[in-house]
Amino acid sequence: MRIAIAPLWLLLAGISAALMASDPPAARSDAEFDAAINAKLAETSAPEVVGVAYASAEDGVVTKQGSWGEMERDSGNPIADDTVFIIGSVSKSFTALAVMQLVEAGEISLDEPAGTYLPALRDTPAGEPSVRQFLSHTSGFSMVQGNESQDDTSMAHDALARRISVAATMTPAKQPGTVWDYSNVNYQVLGRIVEIVSGQSYADYVEQKILAPAGMADSFVHDAGDRPNMANGHRPWFGTFQSINGNLTGRGSSPQGGIVSSARDMARYLSILMNGEDDILSAAGKATMMSPASEFSPEYGFGWFIDAEQGTVFHSGANPGFEALATMIPAQKRATAVLVNNSSGLAFGHTLPTRNAITAASLDLPYDGEASPMTMRVAFIVLALLPFLYLLGMWRAWRGRGSQRSGMAGQIALYLPLLVMVALAYVFVIAIPTMFGAPFAAAAIFQPDTGVLLAGAAIMGVVWAVWRIAMARLAKP
């Protein structure tokens, strides 16, 4: 069995709304714990990552934490206990918690349309889904719609408001409340609701009402400031990792993926969510967040995925240059957070085995490793070779310039490849990124090497087809 990990591969039904505590198992020594992690990593042949930090908690206490690697590749600056990472979509749980705080304060009703609280969405199709539907990804907005603004890196204070102005022009792809589809636009809307209802910026609200009360001293909402204890992000670049210069996460993305935290802060946060007490949110409110939201959302609550078979509640996260996995076993009050400062590549440099192996070793969960990446690696290599094959074809067309078959068959042979190459360019630049849930520009931010290969194959194919037509019409020398 595998640990449940990513939004589109989730199975099984929800956990009980009443989270019953049980005695945690005896803590293992650091040596035993490290040996268990190393054994899991060896079993999965986990590839090298730039830097990793993890922390585990049991019954409200951070019991284990560790790290290896560097804050920036080849810098000699090691990951430390207080090193912070962008946690990506794990941030959605903070946004959901903020909304639930306002629900319990009587400021928001879960079943009211979002347009009730957002003037920009009032009387628009985008404002018709309820707050509950936005929380549970059943608003009808699609994954592709949610990623259309992924390349917006603006740090302006009105960045989130402008995102919602764009959302106001959109119509949900499906009827609200009838289908589950993971979409970042849902949590952009919720973040803006928090701003309007509370009268504070999203960052101020989360830092004052969640991070500070939870004792998360290392954590903050991502801003443009230079934090000396923040790990540098890295993206895949043809078998290695490319350090990111500058910020690739805009302020408008904060509610969906802009929280920055250390592994130990995350372990504390997860412990609070499982403690069964009324503190930053009521115990009942926490249980609601970690229970299936509806019949159309059996494996997702409010900001959390649910695996009933393993009894886990979890969320993964991915931002350009960073990946994360936060996992809880509420019935045992045990949790682990794993943070990495590089994005996974299409075929090389996957962080998933590392994150899952550490989580499995920490929480004594079964884990059989990941599927072989060989198919993806072959596809990556073929994409890399295509431009050279097109160049070879262009050289051959030059050598044979002036020769052209006559008649209809000759015309078809001459022009059909151009139609095929245009269609193939559409597949490379539009269809394939859409299949993965993002426009080409957004996908290329996460995996620039794959973006270069897709764009290169698309462009060179069309250039080759046009070139051979031109060469066929040249007079022989």
Side-chain angles (χ1 to χ4, degrees):
M1 284 178 58
R2 65 178 182 179
I3 301 173
I5 44 170
L8 297 181
W9 293 273
L10 301 172
L11 304 171
L12 307 170
I15 60 174
S16 167
L19 302 175
M20 302 300 294
S22 61
D23 293 335
R28 290 176 289 188
S29 68
D30 289 338
E32 291 173 332
F33 187 70
D34 290 343
I37 289 177
N38 289 332
K40 287 290 185 184
L41 292 175
E43 290 172 9
T44 60
S45 299
E48 178 188 359
V49 290
V50 177
V52 179
Y54 66 86
S56 297
E58 296 185 18
D59 202 20
V61 177
V62 177
T63 56
K64 305 290 181 187
Q65 63 185 69
S67 61
W68 66 86
E70 298 175 299
M71 294 178 66
E72 183 170 7
R73 189 176 180 85
D74 300 325
S75 68
N77 193 7
I79 301 290
D81 290 344
D82 66 343
T83 300
V84 294
F85 304 70
I86 301 177
I87 64 172
S89 287
V90 185
S91 304
K92 290 180 172 66
S93 69
F94 290 85
T95 301
L97 178 58
V99 171
M100 289 299 290
Q101 287 178 333
L102 294 170
V103 167
E104 293 190 348
E107 301 291 331
I108 294 175
S109 172
L110 287 174
D111 295 310
E112 279 291 316
T116 302
Y117 307 102
L118 293 183
L121 298 188
R122 202 163 293 157
D123 300 322
T124 70
E128 292 176 3
S130 68
V131 174
R132 185 188 303 274
Q133 289 165 345
F134 278 103
L135 283 166
S136 60
H137 291 298
T138 58
S139 67
F141 281 104
S142 69
M143 179 178 285
V144 173
Q145 287 177 308
N147 285 327
E148 286 179 353
S149 58
Q150 193 68 54
D151 56 345
D152 177 6
T153 60
S154 170
M155 295 303 295
H157 288 283
D158 65 343
L160 181 55
R162 288 191 283 107
R163 289 271 187 101
I164 301 309
S165 296
V166 174
T169 67
M170 301 164 62
T171 298
K174 298 293 177 63
Q175 181 67 27
T178 63
V179 65
W180 186 91
D181 198 349
Y182 189 89
S183 183
N184 284 326
V185 72
N186 292 325
Y187 277 74
Q188 294 171 14
V189 168
L190 293 169
R192 183 59 178 159
I193 288 177
V194 169
E195 289 189 332
I196 295 294
V197 173
S198 69
Q200 296 180 274
S201 70
Y202 175 83
D204 287 346
Y205 183 93
V206 170
E207 290 174 357
Q208 295 171 19
K209 299 298 175 63
I210 298 178
L211 302 183
M216 300 174 69
D218 299 330
S219 306
F220 55 94
V221 179
H222 197 23
D223 56 28
D226 182 18
R227 308 288 179 121
N229 65 325
M230 184 169 175
N232 203 69
H234 300 77
R235 296 182 295 176
W237 188 248
F238 299 102
T240 183
F241 296 109
Q242 176 191 64
S243 180
I244 294 176
N245 295 319
N247 173 33
L248 297 182
T249 302
R251 195 183 297 272
S253 296
S254 294
Q256 74 194 42
I259 305 294
V260 180
S261 188
S262 64
R264 68 182 180 188
D265 265 9
M266 286 302 298
R268 292 171 182 146
Y269 169 67
L270 299 177
S271 293
I272 291 173
L273 294 180
M274 297 184 298
N275 65 12
E277 299 176 5
D278 298 338
D279 36 51
I280 58 174
L281 189 69
S282 71
K286 297 173 191 176
T288 296
M289 290 179 62
M290 296 187 285
S291 300
S294 71
E295 63 177 310
F296 296 102
S297 182
E299 293 101 28
Y300 198 88
F302 294 165
W304 289 106
F305 289 102
I306 301 158
D307 185 335
E309 184 180 50
Q310 291 189 343
T312 57
V313 176
F314 65 97
H315 214 296
S316 59
N319 266 44
F322 297 89
E323 294 187 347
L325 178 62
T327 307
M328 297 177 280
I329 305 180
Q332 299 176 10
K333 294 187 178 180
R334 301 173 67 198
T336 291
V338 185
L339 310 178
V340 182
N341 65 332
N342 61 269
S343 299
S344 293
L346 177 68
F348 302 95
H350 291 163
T351 76
L352 188 57
T354 299
R355 289 182 284 135
N356 275 352
I358 293 174
T359 300
S362 304
L363 300 177
D364 300 311
L365 293 171
Y367 178 53
D368 297 329
E370 307 302 322
S372 171
M374 188 54 64
T375 300
M376 287 285 89
R377 290 182 178 178
V378 170
F380 188 90
I381 292 170
V382 169
L383 277 175
L385 291 175
L386 273 179
F388 298 100
L389 295 176
Y390 289 135
L391 286 173
L392 177 61
M394 292 170 68
W395 175 77
R396 292 186 62 187
W398 169 256
R399 290 287 302 272
R401 61 192 182 278
S403 60
Q404 179 182 353
R405 292 170 58 187
S406 60
M408 181 62 68
Q411 294 299 305
I412 292 175
L414 186 60
Y415 288 99
L416 182 59
L418 177 59
L419 297 177
V420 172
M421 289 302 104
V422 169
L424 198 59
Y426 173 85
V427 170
F428 286 153
V429 178
I430 305 295
I432 290 178
T434 300
M435 181 176 65
F436 285 96
F440 178 83
I445 291 176
F446 285 84
Q447 297 182 351
D449 52 357
T450 302
V452 167
L453 293 183
L454 289 172
I459 293 170
M460 287 301 298
V462 174
V463 169
W464 164 75
V466 172
W467 175 268
R468 64 187 296 275
I469 292 172
M471 292 301 98
R473 295 191 175 281
L474 279 180
K476 285 187 177 180

